[in-house]
Amino acid sequence: MKRDFLHITDFTTDEVWEVLNLSKEIKAKLKNGEEFTPFKGKTLAMIFAKPSARTRVSFETGFFKLGGHALFLGPNDIGIGKRESVSDIAEVMSRFNEMIMARLFDHQHIIELAENASVPVVNGLTDFNHPCQIMADIFTVLEYRKSLDNLKVTYIGDGNNIVHSWLMLAMRIPFHFSVACPEGFEPDQELVKKVQSQGLSTIEILHDPYLAVKDSDVVYTDVWASMGQKEEANQRRKLFSKFQVNDELMNSTGRNTYFMHCLPAERGIEVTDSVCDAPYSIIFDQAENRMHAQNAIMLSLMS
């Protein structure tokens, strides 16, 4: 039976750890220049309703490095849910390709795509969640900490798709996840309740960034206005002004804390240059690890 990766919770805890271990193996093989081509003769259709440099480059380069061919289909190539039905696109793309990756606005579209495709579908991002990013993030944390025991991650900013995927990870791996956001910008309440009711991880939704970052191993942020919200950017800058990640906030954690950002960063807005470029910033390792984690996810689905 074919498997999809639309949410982190599509994988069991054991499967999450298998992907993390596989990410490490694949990264080592590529760094050592070993020939490793499990995708030889295979093609990946990449459907982009929402553009992104990092998502395209990491998937396309990663699939190629493992022997396959990735095909970019932008908004002008496929008007998903507009020019053509999602179900028809799923049926057609399945006839040509061994796998589909889609980066979309509407979360329901990725679900419908997976329901109608006969090949695995990978969620490259929707407005609701971003599972590949968070798998790369936790892999990066594991590289630096060597363990995920007694981990506290604090997210500062909008309760967006990044936060939703961290919450889903908290249903597979135990850790302390603290979110500091302005009132009215909390993550999905039903998801928060679901994670809290499971009792595996400690979840806090706070409105004071200084309280949230205390004893944090990782401080994480994202842009305050995502794609599709740019008309709200000026208003959000006022509402989020106390949630900037700067030297003062990082120095208040009481620990040797790493800084993470899924990029692209609006430097000087949600985070300062001094934090982005600090020795404790691991944003570029985090960006590179998108490719390795995604390769591991795709390899897991194909096998």
Side-chain angles (χ1 to χ4, degrees):
M1 190 177 94
K2 72 116 174 174
R3 296 281 304 275
D4 303 303
F5 186 67
L6 311 185
H7 317 89
I8 286 179
T9 47
D10 290 339
F11 285 170
T12 65
T13 297
D14 286 345
E15 287 169 337
V16 167
W17 278 105
E18 286 169 11
V19 167
L20 294 178
N21 291 328
L22 188 55
S23 301
K24 181 179 179 181
E25 291 174 22
I26 292 172
K27 183 174 183 177
K29 287 179 185 294
L30 292 179
K31 293 289 186 185
N32 293 334
E34 295 179 39
E35 185 173 348
F36 182 59
T37 56
F39 298 154
K40 186 175 182 180
K42 300 184 187 302
T43 58
L44 168 70
M46 304 189 302
I47 300 172
F48 282 78
K50 204 172 193 178
S52 167
R54 258 157 296 275
T55 298
R56 178 179 178 179
V57 173
S58 60
F59 271 104
E60 191 167 328
T61 303
F63 205 76
F64 171 77
K65 283 179 179 287
L66 268 57
H69 173 72
L71 177 68
F72 173 78
L73 298 162
N76 293 330
D77 300 303
I78 292 183
I80 191 161
K82 296 176 182 177
R83 199 165 70 236
E84 189 172 2
S85 73
V86 178
S87 59
D88 283 0
I89 290 169
E91 289 274 4
V92 172
M93 290 299 111
S94 297
R95 302 294 178 105
F96 298 125
N97 305 280
E98 281 73 30
M99 186 170 288
I100 299 168
M101 184 281 293
R103 181 180 169 93
L104 311 173
F105 287 94
D106 191 338
H107 190 68
Q108 189 56 41
H109 283 170
I110 197 80
I111 293 171
E112 192 176 345
L113 195 65
E115 286 174 347
N116 290 278
S118 57
V119 298
V121 172
V122 177
N123 180 358
L125 174 142
T126 68
D127 283 348
F128 181 70
N129 71 341
H130 198 355
C132 290
Q133 177 69 60
I134 272 56
M135 288 298 293
D137 294 342
I138 200 64
F139 171 52
T140 309
V141 172
L142 183 60
E143 279 188 321
Y144 274 87
R145 285 185 88 242
K146 310 304 179 189
S147 166
L148 300 182
D149 294 344
N150 303 312
L151 171 67
K152 181 179 179 182
V153 176
T154 298
Y155 176 93
I156 309 291
D158 185 23
N160 61 12
N161 50 6
I162 292 289
V163 177
H164 293 157
S165 284
W166 274 108
L167 286 167
M168 289 185 186
L169 181 65
M171 290 192 280
R172 293 293 178 262
I173 292 174
F175 64 101
H176 184 164
F177 185 51
S178 182
V179 178
C181 58
E183 291 188 22
F185 292 89
E186 296 85 358
D188 183 83
Q189 289 185 348
E190 290 303 312
L191 179 58
V192 172
K193 288 177 184 175
K194 185 177 180 181
V195 182
Q196 289 175 328
S197 67
Q198 189 186 37
L200 181 67
S201 298
T202 300
I203 308 298
E204 292 179 305
I205 311 297
L206 305 169
H207 302 296
D208 180 344
Y210 285 88
L211 183 61
V213 300
K214 186 172 173 16
D215 297 325
S216 293
D217 298 288
V218 174
V219 168
Y220 193 122
T221 196
D222 189 9
V223 292
W224 291 340
S226 299
M227 203 175 298
Q229 300 171 331
K230 294 306 179 185
E231 69 282 356
E232 303 172 24
N234 290 335
Q235 180 191 9
R236 283 178 176 241
R237 284 187 191 184
K238 294 174 186 175
L239 293 170
F240 284 74
S241 60
K242 295 179 180 177
F243 292 82
Q244 184 188 69
V245 179
N246 50 36
D247 293 332
E248 184 182 358
L249 185 66
M250 292 300 295
N251 291 335
S252 74
T253 67
R255 305 199 58 171
N256 294 322
T257 305
Y258 297 113
F259 171 69
M260 302 183 79
H261 192 305
C262 52
L263 301 179
E266 294 189 337
R267 288 171 175 245
I269 299 177
E270 77 273 3
V271 61
T272 59
D273 280 333
S274 57
V275 170
C276 276
D277 299 327
Y280 55 70
S281 172
I282 56 176
I283 60 177
F284 297 116
D285 290 313
Q286 179 186 359
E288 178 191 341
N289 283 338
R290 279 284 300 276
M291 181 175 75
H292 305 305
Q294 288 163 184
N295 275 342
I297 289 163
M298 291 188 290
L299 191 55
S300 296
L301 295 176
M302 278 194 177
S303 58

